Amino acid sequence: MKKITEIKKMKPVLPERKKVAAYCRVSMETERLHHSLSAQVSRYSELIQSNPQWEFAGIYADEGISGTKAEKRPEFMRLIADCDAGKIDIVLTKSISRFARNTVDLLKTVRHLKDIGVEVRFEKENIRSLSDDGELMLTLLASFAQEESRSISENEKWSVKKRMEQGIPTAKPPILGYKWVGNHLEIVPEEAAVVKRIFQNFLDGKSRLETERELEAEGIRSVNGNVMRDSQLKHILNNITYTGNTLLQKEFVEDPITKKRRKNKGQLPQYYIENTHEAIIDYDTWKYVQDEMERRRELGALANKSLNTCCFTGKIKCPYCGFSYMHNHRNKNGHPQEYWNCGSKKKKQEPDKKCPVGGTISQKALEKACCEVLGLSEFDEAVFLEKVDHIEVPEKYTLQFFLKDGTEITRPAPNTGHQDCWTAEYRAETSKKRREHPYAKGTTELSGRIKCAACGCNFRRCTQPASNPNKPKMHYWRCSNHSNGCITIGLREDVLKKQIAEVMGIPEYDADLFKNQIPLIYVKDKDLLEIHFKDGRVETTQYAPPEKTFTPRSEESREHMRQLMKERWTPEYKAQMSRKMKQIRSEKFWNSSGK
């Protein structure tokens, strides 16, 4: 039987067209180069659209922009973004120098596009970035393009230098108080009045901050319409242009690739031309302002009268952070205190860069250490400023004095702020408050009712953490003179309350009943309690401290300790302990014999 095969009509498979874009750039906005850019755009538009295998993806063109920095070219950055989005497969450009004059930027961009499958074709050099030898050739030719850019920059610098030598300005920056008419400056009366006011404020002793706030309040702006900040006011006060003279090459471009500008502080020659335009400020006034600014700069913070300064301002330094210590005020328990701490505390520092000293230096401790170093019975600011160059804080609560005669002296400066404020008057005031307000912070109904019969002092409540972290903290009552040798026993609060309840004849301790019935408890003969009732009755009871309890060690714990002792008790350790014990016995023998 014959077999019949149906032959279906096949649809032709068209090759997928590549999405092609072009990048064009000229570095200067001139009539000739504008035509050149237009010609490039027209040519690439026609070239791409005439190729049936290509799909037109757009033309990206930067006009009047240098090729040394990729981020400064908006169309170039848009091109890269579209490549990342998958809108472009091939990028056409005239030459390497049109694409980038910075070797690093060029290779970084081409490698990035290569990773995402986008090819860059350089017509003049006949290089394709996806070819095997494409990157090698790009590296070599891009270096030449970068050096060409550097050479052009050097030639331009040479021409700029020649113009400056002839007194011809090479730039026409906007200057408050003047306007450019050709190559000459003419005064703008309204702006010149503002300049004179800025100089006059400085001569009157006002800080730049005060002038800034004054001008901002009146709506006076810079030539660009911005608020005049401290840096702009400083630039105006320093600008010799206001004297009618011109100083050329105040700044220079350090590197033609990075385009970074630096202030000319002697690296290159400057050119001073006299009487180039009408002056707003006479030269003598301008010179006086410069000298005064230098004087204030040397004084530092002391020159700013708007700051709360004293003789220690700018004198105390941190040797690790490089910051000066700052003067602070705080109010503790109603008593004002002054202290100094490292200025890095107010700066956002990374954890590993924080000041290693820490702590604060109290004003009283600082003045006391100064008196010891300078041999004064009472602190004198004039003597301090005359003799002390600066103070460093090498470690917590330690001051290192550097005197002007070259002497270095180290003195401790412990923080005794709490002791300083705890005067007899303050102690009496606090006791009175606690008696009148028994439930004040840190007090209970027992506060002020337990007294030591031996020394007459009140018992104070102390908190002692439990040996077991899972158990609550314990409260004890001890004589306030305990640290000075009082032998009266300490009373554990829970045990004391249980014994008070037994004496009162109640099953469980009651705070309200205690306050109503018992005004005073005397602690006699170390542990004898004498309880006084308001009705005149006196009861005595022996304080019975709780028995000490402990958890016996398990056999595993004992075995663990035995193993630790075996590991530690090495022959070397035995010999060391033997020598130590012989030395101790020898010293005891000589001390007991009186020799």
Side-chain angles (χ1 to χ4, degrees):
M1 185 175 179
K2 294 183 178 180
K3 184 177 179 181
I4 300 173
T5 303
E6 182 181 0
I7 301 174
K8 296 181 179 180
K9 186 178 179 180
M10 301 293 293
K11 294 182 179 180
V13 179
L14 299 175
E16 185 179 353
R17 295 197 300 169
K18 296 284 186 179
K19 298 184 285 291
V20 182
Y23 176 73
C24 313
R25 181 186 66 82
V26 292
S27 57
M28 296 178 66
E29 293 182 354
T30 63
E31 186 76 19
R32 181 178 61 83
L33 291 179
H34 178 74
H35 287 304
S36 172
L37 182 65
S38 301
Q40 290 183 55
V41 171
S42 300
R43 177 179 174 276
Y44 280 120
S45 298
E46 183 181 350
L47 176 65
I48 297 171
Q49 295 181 36
S50 63
N51 192 327
Q53 297 179 351
W54 288 353
E55 179 183 336
F56 183 73
I59 303 294
Y60 301 80
D62 283 312
E63 184 175 7
I65 302 176
S66 170
T68 54
K69 285 189 177 181
E71 62 273 12
K72 297 292 185 180
R73 293 182 278 162
E75 284 293 287
F76 183 81
M77 299 305 295
R78 189 168 71 88
L79 169 70
I80 303 303
D82 287 348
C83 290
D84 290 334
K87 298 178 181 180
I88 300 171
D89 297 319
I90 300 173
V91 178
L92 304 179
T93 187
K94 182 179 179 182
S95 64
I96 291 174
S97 62
R98 296 302 93 199
F99 197 73
R101 282 191 179 271
N102 185 328
T103 306
V104 174
D105 279 351
L106 173 70
L107 294 178
K108 182 180 176 181
T109 304
V110 170
R111 285 170 182 170
H112 171 68
L113 295 178
K114 185 177 181 180
D115 290 339
I116 61 176
V118 177
E119 183 181 45
V120 184
R121 297 183 182 180
F122 303 92
E123 287 190 295
K124 182 180 178 181
E125 294 84 4
N126 194 24
I127 295 175
R128 297 188 178 187
S129 61
L130 295 184
S131 64
D132 294 336
D133 59 347
E135 185 165 333
L136 175 61
M137 294 299 296
L138 276 176
T139 305
L140 295 174
L141 295 175
S143 300
F144 290 133
Q146 180 171 308
E147 288 307 312
E148 181 186 1
S149 178
R150 195 182 299 276
S151 176
I152 293 171
S153 175
E154 292 299 325
N155 293 337
E156 182 63 26
K157 284 182 181 179
W158 180 85
S159 64
V160 168
K161 179 183 176 183
K162 291 300 180 183
R163 289 199 298 271
M164 286 191 294
E165 288 176 351
Q166 298 171 13
I168 302 172
T170 56
K172 297 177 182 179
I175 304 173
L176 183 70
Y178 290 105
K179 65 178 180 180
W180 285 97
V181 178
N183 288 331
H184 300 283
L185 289 170
E186 288 187 4
I187 290 180
V188 179
E190 298 81 6
E191 295 180 2
V194 176
V195 173
K196 290 178 180 179
R197 181 176 175 181
I198 293 170
F199 274 84
Q200 189 59 50
N201 280 3
F202 187 85
L203 295 173
D204 291 342
K206 291 184 179 181
S207 66
R208 294 199 296 267
L209 180 60
E210 290 176 296
T211 301
E212 176 188 325
R213 291 171 177 170
E214 185 179 304
L215 296 177
E216 184 176 3
E218 296 180 21
I220 298 174
R221 298 292 185 261
S222 67
V223 288
N224 296 323
N226 301 320
V227 175
M228 283 190 280
R229 298 301 183 191
D230 178 83
S231 58
Q232 292 171 298
L233 296 175
K234 181 182 177 183
H235 176 73
I236 290 172
L237 292 170
N238 281 327
N239 197 345
I240 198 172
T241 304
Y242 293 115
T243 64
N245 306 306
T246 302
L247 182 64
L248 301 178
Q249 198 153 253
K250 296 177 185 177
E251 296 180 346
F252 65 96
V253 177
E254 185 179 32
D255 188 346
I257 305 302
T258 61
K259 303 293 185 182
K260 186 175 180 180
R261 300 186 69 85
R262 294 179 64 91
K263 285 189 176 181
N264 188 358
K265 297 182 178 179
Q267 300 94 324
L268 295 175
Q270 293 182 322
Y271 303 92
Y272 181 69
I273 306 101
E274 295 182 339
N275 303 320
T276 55
H277 52 277
E278 187 179 351
I280 295 176
I281 305 297
D282 64 89
Y283 182 82
D284 292 339
T285 301
W286 180 85
K287 187 66 172 65
Y288 176 81
V289 168
Q290 307 315 303
D291 295 340
E292 177 63 14
M293 289 180 72
E294 181 62 30
R295 186 188 71 83
R296 294 185 188 183
R297 191 179 298 112
E298 291 178 358
L299 285 175
L302 294 174
N304 193 341
K305 58 184 177 62
S306 63
L307 299 177
N308 183 20
T309 60
C310 67
C311 62
F312 296 117
T313 304
K315 287 280 190 179
I316 310 172
K317 306 287 185 181
C318 177
Y320 305 102
C321 308
F323 287 97
S324 294
Y325 269 54
M326 303 184 71
H327 195 191
N328 296 277
H329 298 262
R330 62 185 168 196
N331 196 306
K332 188 172 184 180
N333 299 328
H335 294 267
Q337 295 181 346
E338 297 180 61
Y339 66 98
W340 296 77
N341 63 352
C342 181
S344 63
K345 299 290 183 183
K346 292 192 175 182
K347 305 288 184 182
K348 289 185 179 180
Q349 301 281 341
E350 296 178 9
D352 58 338
K353 293 183 179 180
K354 288 188 176 180
C355 180
V357 178
T360 61
I361 305 294
S362 71
Q363 180 83 1
K364 290 187 176 180
L366 181 58
E367 291 180 357
K368 182 180 178 182
C370 290
C371 290
E372 292 176 3
V373 170
L374 301 175
L376 302 173
S377 57
E378 188 175 310
F379 180 71
D380 190 319
E381 288 191 6
V383 176
F384 172 82
L385 291 172
E386 179 186 351
K387 294 187 176 182
V388 178
D389 182 70
H390 70 281
I391 303 172
E392 290 185 0
V393 187
E395 57 186 77
K396 194 174 183 179
Y397 304 141
T398 303
L399 300 176
Q400 188 173 7
F401 288 80
F402 292 82
L403 305 185
K404 291 184 178 179
D405 61 3
T407 308
E408 296 180 17
I409 303 174
T410 303
R411 283 287 183 276
N415 195 344
T416 57
H418 184 72
Q419 298 175 18
D420 294 339
C421 75
W422 197 253
T423 60
E425 295 80 7
Y426 181 56
R427 187 188 298 273
E429 180 186 344
T430 305
S431 298
K432 182 181 178 182
K433 285 182 180 179
R434 287 179 177 174
R435 285 194 298 271
E436 294 174 352
H437 306 281
Y439 289 106
K441 184 179 179 181
T443 62
T444 69
E445 73 281 356
L446 295 172
S447 299
R449 296 173 187 254
I450 308 175
K451 286 189 176 292
C452 177
C455 61
C457 294
N458 285 337
F459 269 53
R460 291 180 182 170
R461 193 185 196 213
C462 308
T463 303
Q464 180 173 315
S467 57
N468 188 341
N470 298 322
K471 292 184 178 180
K473 295 179 180 179
M474 304 299 296
H475 297 292
Y476 284 83
W477 289 84
R478 291 190 175 91
C479 177
S480 58
N481 201 31
H482 176 75
S483 59
N484 294 328
C486 183
I487 60 173
T488 310
I489 194 171
L491 311 174
R492 206 171 96 176
E493 186 174 271
D494 58 338
V495 178
L496 176 63
K497 287 181 176 181
K498 187 182 292 185
Q499 290 191 241
I500 291 174
E502 291 176 0
V503 172
M504 294 177 67
I506 54 178
E508 192 175 72
Y509 177 80
D510 188 294
D512 293 331
L513 285 176
F514 173 81
K515 286 191 297 179
N516 292 331
Q517 295 184 22
I518 301 176
L520 191 61
I521 298 175
Y522 273 111
V523 183
K524 307 177 104 179
D525 299 330
K526 293 186 180 180
D527 56 0
L528 182 66
L529 303 182
E530 187 178 85
I531 303 176
H532 292 247
F533 288 80
K534 287 186 178 180
D535 59 6
R537 183 165 51 97
V538 178
E539 297 284 346
T540 57
T541 182
Q542 198 78 21
Y543 173 75
E547 295 183 2
K548 294 183 178 180
T549 59
F550 66 95
T551 304
R553 289 183 178 176
S554 62
E555 187 58 36
E556 291 81 3
S557 175
R558 293 174 184 272
E559 182 59 32
H560 175 66
M561 292 304 298
R562 291 192 197 103
Q563 191 62 32
L564 286 178
M565 291 301 295
K566 286 180 181 179
E567 292 175 359
R568 183 179 180 187
W569 203 255
T570 61
E572 295 79 7
Y573 187 70
K574 286 182 181 179
Q576 179 185 349
M577 291 301 297
S578 177
R579 289 193 298 271
K580 190 172 183 179
M581 292 305 298
K582 286 179 182 179
Q583 181 181 358
I584 293 172
R585 286 194 289 270
S586 174
E587 290 175 354
K588 284 185 177 180
F589 170 76
W590 285 105
N591 290 336
S592 61
S593 62
K595 295 182 181 179

